[in-house]
Amino acid sequence: MEIYNTLTKKKEEFKPVNPPNVGIYVCGPTVYDFFHIGNARSFVMADIMQRYLRYKGYKVKFVMNLTDVDDKIIKKANEEDVEASVIAERFTNAFFEDIEKLKIKKADVYPKATGHIKEILELIKKLEINGIAYNTGGDVFYDVHKFKEYGKLSGKKLDDLEAGARVEVNDKKHNPLDFALWKSAKEGEPHWSSPWGEGRPGWHIECSAMSMKHLGETFDIHAGGHDLIFPHHENEIAQSEGVSHKPFVKYWVHFGFLNIKNEKMSKSLGNFFTARDVIKRFSAETIRLLFSQAHYASPLNFSDELLTSAQKGLEKITNFVQTINNKLDKAEPDGNYPEFIIQTYYDKFEQAMDDDFNSPKAVAVIFDLIKNVNKILSEDEQWGSNFYEDILDFLNSTAEAVLGIIQEPVSASESTNETVDKLLDLLVQIRTKAKKEKLYEFADQIREKLSELGFTLVDTKDGTEIKK
Ligand code: AMP
Ligand code: ZN
C-alpha cells in the first residue's frame, strides 16, 4: 500500500520498520474543554487508518497522547479556582465518553504529559549535553540553529522564518525561533522539580518523550491535523533526532481541516460545534460516513446539508442490511448462487484503501455493491443463504470493521417490549426526583444516556414525554 508522506511530499510504498508490527502516534487533545467536530474528524480518520492497517493483518500499536498540562488548562483552572488536574480529569473523562459515542476504537496507550515528566527531563538533559538546549534563568530553550535539518518537514527555511519572526521585548531567547523545552514555574501554575529549578514542560517536548517511550526512537506513522506540521511536528523532529541521531518517524500523515464556510473550525474563532452536540442530532455512523466520503488530507466544509445527505446515504446502507438479514432468515442453505463474485468487491475496496487510505473510493465500492445486489434481488428469485452471508461478511469486515458505518438494526419487538417501557418510566421517575433534589448533572446524565439509546426526553408542563 502507499501513503502520502509530508516529509518527502510524495506517495510512498508503506514499509514498516519492523513488520508485521506498526507503531502509530497521533497528537491527541488538550483536555481543557469538550472537543469539537473538527477535532473529531482527525480522531475518526486516525481510527479508520488504524482499523485498516489491522484489517491488512498488521500488528498495530496505536498511541494517542493527552496534553494535560498547558496554558489553556491552567487558565480555565484559575477561572474556576480549582487545580489544573481537576480540569484535565474532567475533560479527559469527557473525551473518552465522546470517542466511544463516535465508535472510535480505544488506543493501546493514552499517555499523559504529567505522567512522563521523568522522560521529558531526560530528553532535555540530553539536548543540553549535546549543546542544543540552553538555560536562561530556569527557562530552557531549543536552539534551532543547532539542528541543521530544521525545516525539513514543513519546507520552511530558517532565513525566511527569521525575516518574518516577531522579536519580543524582554525575550530570554537567543533567537526568536528558539522554542521552550522547560518553562520556569509561575504563580498559580502546576510545577515539577528539575535540574533548572521548578517548572513545567513545553508542549513539543511532551510528544517527543511520549512517542519515543512507547514506540521507540524510530517508528512508523506519526499523524495529526494539518495545523501541527509547523511548528509542533517540526520541533518534535528537531528534539527527537537531536537526541537519537536517527530518523524519528518514517511516514508523517496530516489530516485536512474541517472547515465552516472555508474557514478552519476552531475554538478561538468560535465557529465550532462540539462533537457531543452533533452526536445528539446525528448518529455516529452518519458522522463517520460523512468523514469517510472525503479524503483524509483534503479540506472538508461542514454543514447541516452535508450531514443530512450523509444520513440519507446511511439509510440506504441500513435498509440494505435489513433486507439482506430478512432474506437470509428465509433462505435455504443449498439454494442457488447468482452470477456475482464477492471477491471483486474486496479487491476494489482494498485497492481504494491501499491508495493512501482513499476512503471516498472505498465508500463508492460499498454503494456499488448495494446497487448491483439490489438489481439481483429485483429478479425475484430465492437465493441460497451463502449468497446473503457473503454480502453480510463483506459489509461487516469492510464497512463496519474498517469504516464503522453499519448501524445495529433495532428490531420492532425489542423497542416495543413492555419491560423496556416499564424500565423507561422508572428512569424518568428517577430523573424527575433527581431534578427535584437539584442533582442536575445526574439528571442530565440520564437524559444523555437515554438519547444515546435512541430515546429523547421532552419536558412539558404535564411531565416528561419519551420519544423514540
Ligand atoms: P487540539 O486539542 O487543538 O490540540 O487538537 C487535537 C487534534 O485535532 C489535533 O490533531 C489538531 O490538529 C486537530 N484539529 C484541530 N482543529 C481541526 C479542524 N478544524 N479540522 C481537523 N482537525 C483539527
Ligand atoms: Zn503532539
Side-chain angles (χ1 to χ4, degrees):
M1 69 182 290
E2 289 193 317
I3 300 183
Y4 180 86
N5 189 352
T6 311
L7 186 63
T8 57
K9 289 159 194 68
K10 53 177 192 270
K11 264 190 221 173
E12 285 175 29
E13 197 187 329
F14 181 57
K15 287 194 197 137
V17 183
N18 182 22
N21 300 298
V22 171
I24 309 180
Y25 184 90
V26 180
C27 292
T30 305
V31 280
Y32 73 106
D33 210 337
F34 301 114
F35 64 84
H36 58 64
I37 195 76
N39 303 128
R41 182 187 184 201
S42 287
F43 301 153
V44 167
M45 295 324 282
D47 180 51
I48 290 176
M49 284 181 186
Q50 69 129 339
R51 283 166 175 246
Y52 185 62
L53 289 165
R54 290 183 206 272
Y55 168 101
K56 296 276 286 182
Y58 289 115
K59 287 175 79 177
V60 176
K61 182 168 179 188
F62 185 76
V63 182
M64 180 178 273
N65 73 295
L66 304 172
T67 299
D68 63 344
V69 54
D70 164 272
D71 291 348
K72 287 179 241 162
I73 300 174
I74 295 167
K75 184 167 171 270
K76 192 152 200 168
N78 288 339
E79 280 164 10
E80 289 192 20
D81 201 18
V82 294
E83 296 282 314
S85 57
V86 172
I87 300 292
E89 201 183 314
R90 184 192 307 159
F91 291 105
T92 298
N93 292 338
F95 167 76
F96 286 125
E97 282 170 22
D98 291 352
I99 59 164
E100 194 184 340
K101 285 183 201 155
L102 284 166
K103 287 171 63 173
I104 291 174
K105 293 238 186 286
K106 276 226 157 185
D108 298 281
V109 195
Y110 285 107
K112 294 179 178 177
T114 56
H116 291 73
I117 301 294
K118 189 172 96 281
E119 289 79 3
I120 291 169
L121 292 177
E122 280 309 309
L123 273 189
I124 305 177
K125 276 190 248 171
K126 283 183 191 155
L127 287 170
E128 201 180 29
I129 292 166
N130 292 353
I132 302 177
Y134 57 92
N135 171 16
T136 52
D139 289 295
V140 184
F141 293 101
Y142 188 103
D143 183 345
V144 292
H145 279 279
K146 294 278 166 63
F147 186 67
K148 279 206 279 310
E149 293 176 296
Y150 193 81
K152 68 175 171 181
L153 179 72
S154 57
K156 292 184 193 285
K157 294 203 167 53
L158 268 180
D159 289 348
D160 298 344
L161 286 168
E162 266 162 19
R166 217 160 19 114
V167 184
E168 285 171 28
V169 192
N170 290 333
D171 212 333
K172 296 174 180 167
K173 300 182 216 173
H174 294 170
N175 182 299
L177 296 177
D178 293 350
F179 56 90
L181 297 166
W182 189 257
K183 301 175 177 186
S184 58
K186 288 179 198 64
E187 185 68 30
E189 292 189 358
H191 52 87
W192 290 265
S193 301
S194 84
W196 315 281
E198 291 291 308
R200 64 183 169 100
W203 171 39
H204 314 300
I205 197 73
E206 296 171 6
C207 279
S208 280
M210 291 187 272
S211 59
M212 292 202 289
K213 155 125 197 234
H214 294 284
L215 297 171
E217 287 180 332
T218 301
F219 60 92
D220 300 296
I221 300 175
H222 192 316
H226 218 264
D227 51 337
L228 300 186
I229 298 176
F230 188 86
H232 186 52
H233 291 162
E234 193 71 66
N235 292 352
E236 276 189 49
I237 295 178
Q239 296 163 153
S240 299
E241 298 189 0
V243 167
S244 72
H245 306 292
K246 291 177 195 157
F248 173 42
V249 168
K250 268 192 102 172
Y251 304 89
W252 283 93
V253 168
H254 289 100
F255 307 115
F257 292 144
L258 189 74
N259 291 334
I260 290 222
K261 300 197 178 96
N262 298 315
E263 217 170 12
K264 181 195 172 198
M265 181 181 286
S266 75
K267 280 267 155 60
S268 53
L269 290 173
N271 61 348
F272 67 91
F273 301 103
T274 61
R276 57 173 52 195
D277 278 345
V278 179
I279 305 166
K280 280 182 194 145
R281 296 191 298 131
F282 295 91
S283 68
E285 291 83 6
T286 300
I287 297 168
R288 295 181 69 105
L289 177 61
L290 169 69
F291 291 160
S292 302
Q293 282 177 311
H295 187 258
Y296 75 82
S298 314
L300 171 63
N301 255 319
F302 184 76
S303 66
D304 256 24
E305 291 79 61
L306 218 58
L307 271 166
T308 311
S309 109
Q311 199 173 30
K312 287 204 183 105
L314 189 77
E315 268 167 31
K316 238 189 206 173
I317 301 175
T318 308
N319 291 342
F320 179 74
V321 172
Q322 189 79 58
T323 308
I324 300 296
N325 269 318
N326 292 344
K327 298 258 182 204
L328 178 62
D329 279 348
K330 295 182 205 113
E332 300 290 334
D334 51 359
N336 287 340
Y337 201 99
E339 219 173 281
F340 175 85
I341 303 166
I342 192 74
Q343 188 57 40
T344 55
Y345 294 91
Y346 281 102
D347 293 345
K348 282 189 203 158
F349 179 84
E350 286 170 32
Q351 266 166 26
M353 292 299 283
D354 279 350
D355 180 12
D356 192 27
F357 303 101
N358 195 328
S359 57
K361 260 197 185 163
V363 169
V365 174
I366 289 158
F367 281 113
D368 194 42
L369 171 128
I370 294 177
K371 191 181 81 191
N372 292 338
V373 171
N374 275 335
K375 245 188 249 160
I376 295 173
L377 297 184
S378 69
E379 287 166 17
D380 210 25
E381 189 164 335
Q382 296 297 320
W383 304 109
S385 53
N386 54 349
F387 171 54
Y388 302 115
E389 276 161 4
D390 281 354
I391 291 162
L392 290 176
D393 283 348
F394 173 80
L395 291 174
N396 279 331
S397 54
T398 59
E400 180 52 21
V402 178
L403 304 174
I405 55 172
I406 301 288
Q407 237 162 0
E408 290 264 4
V410 181
S411 70
S413 61
E414 211 179 298
S415 55
T416 53
N417 183 310
E418 260 182 34
T419 319
V420 172
D421 286 347
K422 279 185 194 155
L423 286 170
L424 279 173
D425 281 335
L426 183 63
L427 279 169
V428 169
Q429 281 170 32
I430 293 172
R431 179 171 164 268
T432 311
K433 182 108 198 314
K435 273 180 27 184
K436 271 197 195 128
E437 309 270 3
K438 297 199 165 38
L439 298 167
Y440 296 118
E441 212 171 306
F442 178 58
D444 283 346
Q445 245 177 21
I446 296 178
R447 207 220 329 245
E448 273 165 30
K449 295 282 172 202
L450 282 173
S451 147
E452 274 168 45
L453 295 170
F455 299 100
T456 310
L457 298 188
V458 184
D459 290 324
T460 69
K461 59 179 183 337
D462 305 320
T464 305
E465 278 175 30
I466 310 165
K467 289 199 171 136
K468 173 84 184 102

